[in-house]
Amino acid sequence: MTKILYITVNPKRDAKLSKGMQIGEVFLEAFQKEKPDVEIIQMHLYDMEIPEIDMDLMYARAKLSFMGQTFGRLSKAEQTKVMKMHALADQFIDADYYVFVTPLWNLGSPAILKSFLDNLFIVGKTFINTEDGPKGLLKGRKAIHIQTRGGIYSTGPMADFEFGDRFLTTALGFLGLEVMDSIIAEGTDHYPKQVPEIMARAKKEAMEKAKAMAKETVIISN
C-alpha cells in the first residue's frame, strides 16, 4: 500500500492552534481524494523519543562507519542507541511520500527537527560516499515542506536569514528525495489583519500541490 508520512514539528497538538497543521490537513484531505487507498502515518515529533547524537551515539557511528568495528563490539548503551536510530530511519524509508509541517523559529526550524534528521543520515542506508561525492539512496520518493512564518523572509532584508526551509529541503535532497517547491504562509505576525487571506492562499496552494504530488508515480528501486 502507498504510504505518506505526515511529520508535524510543533509543540501544539491541536490543529486548531496551529496554522501550519491547518494547512497540512487541507493537503492530506486533497491528497487522499486523489489516492483514496493511501495509508497516512502521522509523526508528531514532540510526542516521540528521538535519539540525540550524544557521546555514545557519536562514537558508535564512527566505530561502525570507518573504524571497522562490528555491532557486537559496541557497548550496550551504544547498541541501544544505534538500534533506535536505525528503527527511526527504517520507518522513514518505508514511506513513499513525505509532508513536513514546521514553523520558522528564530531563523530556523525547531531543534527537534534537526535531531530527527540526524537519525536519517546513515552511511549505507540512506546515502553512500562515492568518488564523485555523497549519493542519496532514497530515490523515487516525493517530499514537500509546509512552513509558517510570522515575518517576511521570501523577499526584503530578511531573505538571507531563512534557514529552516532551506536546510530541510537541502537535507532531503541530499538523501535522494525529490522535493517539491515548499508551501509558505508568511507574515502572520506582522500582518494579523491579513491572516485570513494568507491562510486562504496557502490552503489553495496546498490543495493544488497535493493533487500534483498524488498524481506523480513513486518508483523506488532498492
Side-chain angles (χ1 to χ4, degrees):
M1 177 181 287
T2 300
K3 296 179 182 179
I4 183 168
L5 196 56
Y6 180 64
I7 303 165
T8 54
V9 191
N10 196 311
K12 299 174 183 176
R13 270 68 173 178
D14 189 345
K16 294 179 182 178
L17 303 176
S18 167
K19 296 180 180 65
M21 283 190 274
Q22 291 170 31
I23 299 167
E25 288 187 346
V26 170
F27 186 99
L28 288 183
E29 183 179 351
F31 190 99
Q32 200 164 24
K33 284 183 179 179
E34 296 293 324
K35 267 189 197 307
D37 61 340
V38 68
E39 179 183 357
I40 299 173
I41 302 167
Q42 299 201 23
M43 273 189 177
H44 189 76
L45 296 194
Y46 279 88
D47 288 341
M48 299 170 58
E49 292 186 9
I50 298 173
E52 295 185 352
I53 298 183
D54 57 9
M55 190 69 75
D56 289 328
L57 198 46
M58 181 174 65
Y59 279 113
R61 294 178 70 187
K63 290 173 183 177
L64 295 173
S65 61
F66 60 84
M67 295 175 67
Q69 293 193 25
T70 62
F71 179 81
R73 294 186 62 189
L74 301 179
S75 69
K76 288 186 178 180
E78 291 171 340
Q79 288 181 356
T80 298
K81 293 176 182 180
V82 166
M83 288 174 64
K84 288 182 178 180
M85 169 179 273
H86 278 261
L88 191 56
D90 287 339
Q91 185 178 6
F92 186 85
I93 294 168
D94 193 45
D96 305 285
Y97 301 90
Y98 305 85
V99 180
F100 285 81
V101 181
T102 78
L104 179 67
W105 287 356
N106 304 320
L107 311 183
S109 297
I112 196 169
L113 177 61
K114 178 61 166 60
S115 294
F116 175 77
L117 293 173
D118 282 341
N119 287 270
L120 306 181
F121 281 71
I122 302 176
V123 178
K125 176 168 282 192
T126 57
F127 76 98
I128 57 174
N129 293 309
T130 73
E131 292 181 354
D132 298 321
K135 178 183 177 183
L137 298 178
L138 305 187
K139 300 291 185 181
R141 298 163 174 83
K142 317 288 182 180
I144 193 166
H145 181 207
I146 298 171
Q147 186 194 61
T148 51
R149 305 170 179 171
I152 301 296
Y153 290 81
S154 59
T155 60
M158 297 301 292
D160 292 333
F161 295 94
E162 194 290 312
F163 299 104
D165 180 63
R166 191 181 308 180
F167 176 76
L168 175 60
T169 55
T170 299
L172 297 177
F174 178 93
L175 297 177
L177 283 80
E178 181 180 331
V179 186
M180 297 178 66
D181 290 339
S182 300
I183 300 167
I184 306 296
E186 64 177 0
T188 56
D189 291 340
H190 284 198
Y191 306 103
K193 293 182 179 180
Q194 297 179 27
V195 168
E197 180 183 346
I198 294 169
M199 290 295 290
R201 283 198 304 267
K203 289 179 180 180
K204 181 181 178 182
E205 185 179 0
M207 286 189 285
E208 292 171 349
K209 289 189 173 177
K211 292 177 182 178
M213 177 185 273
K215 289 177 180 178
E216 293 188 11
T217 302
V218 167
I219 301 176
I220 299 174
S221 57
N222 296 320

